[in-house]
């Protein structure tokens, strides 16, 4: 019999499409292997407060297609304190939870690592639309967010072309520009502005003027929120070029919606893998997609890794926008 008998599962940080598919996979794979599975509502905050219940096969019926998270999510400043961590570990003992699967981003994983120091086995599943977790090539929710942005780009282009405007679309990505870069290439943007590269207003304006001289009827700029200031940038561009310029901030619409098939599959594979590593007796792991395979890393190793923007993709975006 495995040392671990009861697994807890929670979602933490920002919600991402596909989290429910991951929860479903954890619950059903866990029960299949003979584990008791406990759902923890509202992330680490719910763990501290004991908002915990036993889940069964029917608990996760009809959720794979739903966005958001049925377990809910919340920030927990208390969990960041020594006392909060002690309360969380104590609650695990009260409910006889031997291991916790944490579905979330980098901050959630750092919280899981802190909890592991109190003797709780933790396994992280990368769930964030930003795709900014260093140890993995892909995070749950990224594909759905890209498709949401792509749909917005298609609609904005229609009116931008009709009015011969410059359009600035601000997308999510506070510290990482993956949504902006990928959606910019997919949407044929003339300029992509991301935190990793900074904002060069003169270069953007030059490209707009060059495009107009070549006969372009419209111009699309994808701006990551980490740079921000889409409305102000629109005013500066219009003053410098004389071309009507409008800004659109997509905001939280990028987090919602039914997950794509890819996000559902990846979430299912990662959720099952999380249970399997616990069954194998491994402790304190992060699940990841690496070179097309679902793998697991030691949590300290995973959190020490660095992730950078693909220079080839960034340069290619410029070439393709000419």
């Amino acid at each position: 019999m495995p040392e671990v008998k009861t697994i807890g599962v929670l979602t933490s940080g920002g919600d991402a499409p596909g989290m429910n598919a991951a929860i479903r996979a954890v619950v059903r794979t866990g029960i299949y292997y003979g584990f008791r599975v406990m759902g923890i509502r509202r992330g680490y905050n719910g763990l501290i407060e004991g908002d915990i219940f036993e889940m069964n096969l029917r608990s996760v019926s009809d959720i794979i297609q739903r966005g958001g998270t049925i377990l809910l999510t919340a920030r927990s400043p208390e969990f960041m304190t020594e006392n909060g961590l002690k309360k969380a570990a104590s609650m695990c003992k009260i409910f006889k939870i031997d291991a916790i699967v944490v579905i979330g981003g980098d901050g959630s994983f750092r919280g899981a690592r802190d909890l592991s120091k109190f003797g709780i086995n933790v396994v992280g599943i990368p769930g964030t639309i930003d795709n900014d977790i260093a140890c993995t090539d892909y995070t749950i929710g990224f594909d759905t967010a890209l498709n949401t942005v792509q749909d917005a780009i298609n609609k904005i282009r229609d009116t931008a072309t009709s009015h011969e405007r410059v359009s600035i679309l601000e997308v999510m990505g506070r510290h990482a520009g993956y949504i902006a870069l990928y959606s910019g290439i997919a949407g044929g943007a003339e300029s992509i502005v991301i935190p990793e590269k900074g904002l060069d207003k003169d270069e953007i304006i030059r490209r707009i003027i060059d495009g107009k001289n070549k006969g372009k009827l419209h111009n699309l700029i994808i701006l990551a929120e980490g740079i921000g200031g889409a409305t102000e940038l629109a005013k500066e561009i219009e003053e410098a070029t004389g071309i009507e310029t409008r800004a659109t901030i997509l905001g939280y619409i990028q987090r919602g919606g039914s997950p794509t098939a890819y996000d559902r599959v990846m979430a299912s594979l990662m959720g099952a893998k999380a249970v399997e590593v616990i069954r194998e007796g491994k402790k304190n792991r992060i699940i990841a997609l690496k070179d097309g395979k679902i793998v697991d890393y030691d949590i300290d190793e995973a959190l020490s890794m660095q992730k950078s923007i693909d220079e080839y993709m960034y340069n290619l975006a410029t070439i393709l926008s000419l």
Side-chain angles (χ1 to χ4, degrees):
M1 293 293 291
E3 181 182 351
V4 174
K5 294 182 179 179
T6 302
I7 298 173
V9 58
L10 62 82
T11 50
S12 175
D15 61 294
M19 280 185 165
N20 283 327
I23 294 167
R24 175 178 177 268
V26 170
V27 172
R28 292 192 170 175
T29 306
I31 292 172
Y32 175 82
Y33 285 123
F35 294 107
R36 184 173 179 235
V37 183
M38 306 295 286
I40 303 166
R41 297 187 184 93
R42 299 177 180 86
Y44 292 125
N45 195 53
L47 179 59
I48 290 172
E49 295 179 355
D51 194 355
I52 301 168
F53 66 103
E54 185 166 358
M55 302 185 78
N56 56 40
L57 296 176
R58 300 284 70 82
S59 300
V60 290
S61 295
D62 198 32
I63 68 168
I64 195 169
Q65 79 282 5
R66 291 168 57 183
T69 163
I70 64 163
L71 291 178
L72 310 177
T73 183
R75 307 292 179 184
S76 181
E78 185 179 4
F79 185 75
M80 299 179 193
T81 67
E82 185 82 6
N83 188 53
L85 287 165
K86 287 180 179 178
K87 283 184 181 179
S90 175
M91 204 59 72
C92 288
K93 291 179 174 63
I94 290 170
F95 283 88
K96 295 180 168 53
I97 295 172
D98 306 304
I100 294 182
V101 177
V102 175
I103 307 167
D106 187 78
S108 300
F109 293 166
R110 294 184 186 280
R113 180 180 61 182
D114 292 340
L115 183 61
S116 72
K117 295 174 183 176
F118 289 82
I120 309 301
N121 186 11
V122 296
V123 178
I125 297 176
T128 167
I129 66 169
D130 291 332
N131 199 36
D132 60 349
I133 297 177
C135 68
T136 184
D137 296 334
Y138 185 81
T139 61
I140 297 166
F142 182 57
D143 188 61
T144 306
L146 286 182
N147 279 274
T148 298
V149 174
Q150 187 58 56
D151 184 59
I153 288 173
N154 292 341
K155 290 177 169 62
I156 287 171
R157 273 198 180 280
D158 289 342
T159 190
T161 304
S162 299
H163 292 271
E164 299 182 88
R165 287 175 178 163
V166 173
S167 290
I168 303 174
L169 185 64
E170 185 176 309
V171 300
M172 282 189 164
R174 189 172 301 169
H175 303 295
Y178 295 99
I179 293 176
L181 178 58
Y182 279 70
S183 64
I185 291 175
E190 278 71 29
S191 295
I192 299 172
V193 188
I194 57 177
E196 294 87 343
K197 295 294 181 179
L199 172 62
D200 186 338
K201 295 177 185 178
D202 291 339
E203 174 64 17
I204 290 174
I205 290 170
R206 185 192 65 77
R207 291 173 66 83
I208 291 170
I209 294 172
D210 284 348
K212 182 181 179 181
N213 292 338
K214 292 174 184 176
K216 283 196 174 188
L217 296 178
H218 59 86
N219 198 289
L220 175 65
I221 301 166
I222 303 295
L223 178 75
E225 68 175 339
I227 298 293
T231 303
E232 292 75 15
L233 180 59
K235 291 177 182 177
E236 291 183 45
I237 289 173
E238 186 164 328
E239 289 174 1
T241 65
I243 302 172
E244 188 177 14
T245 305
R246 293 290 180 269
T248 302
I249 301 173
L250 283 190
Y252 286 102
I253 192 174
Q254 295 161 86
R255 280 195 183 169
S258 180
T260 60
Y262 188 71
D263 270 326
R264 298 182 198 191
V265 171
M266 292 308 304
S268 298
L269 292 171
M270 289 182 173
K273 180 70 171 180
V275 174
E276 288 164 3
V277 300
I278 292 172
R279 184 169 179 261
E280 291 166 6
K282 294 181 178 180
K283 294 182 180 294
N284 307 326
R285 313 297 290 180
I286 298 294
I287 307 304
L289 175 69
K290 208 66 180 175
D291 300 324
K293 295 180 180 179
I294 305 296
V295 298
D296 59 283
Y297 292 102
D298 173 79
I299 193 167
D300 287 312
E301 178 188 1
L303 290 173
S304 69
M305 294 180 183
Q306 300 293 320
K307 192 170 188 176
S308 58
I309 281 289
D310 188 322
E311 292 292 334
Y312 175 78
M313 284 188 68
Y314 184 77
N315 293 331
L316 180 62
T318 301
I319 293 169
L320 296 178
S321 68
L322 296 175

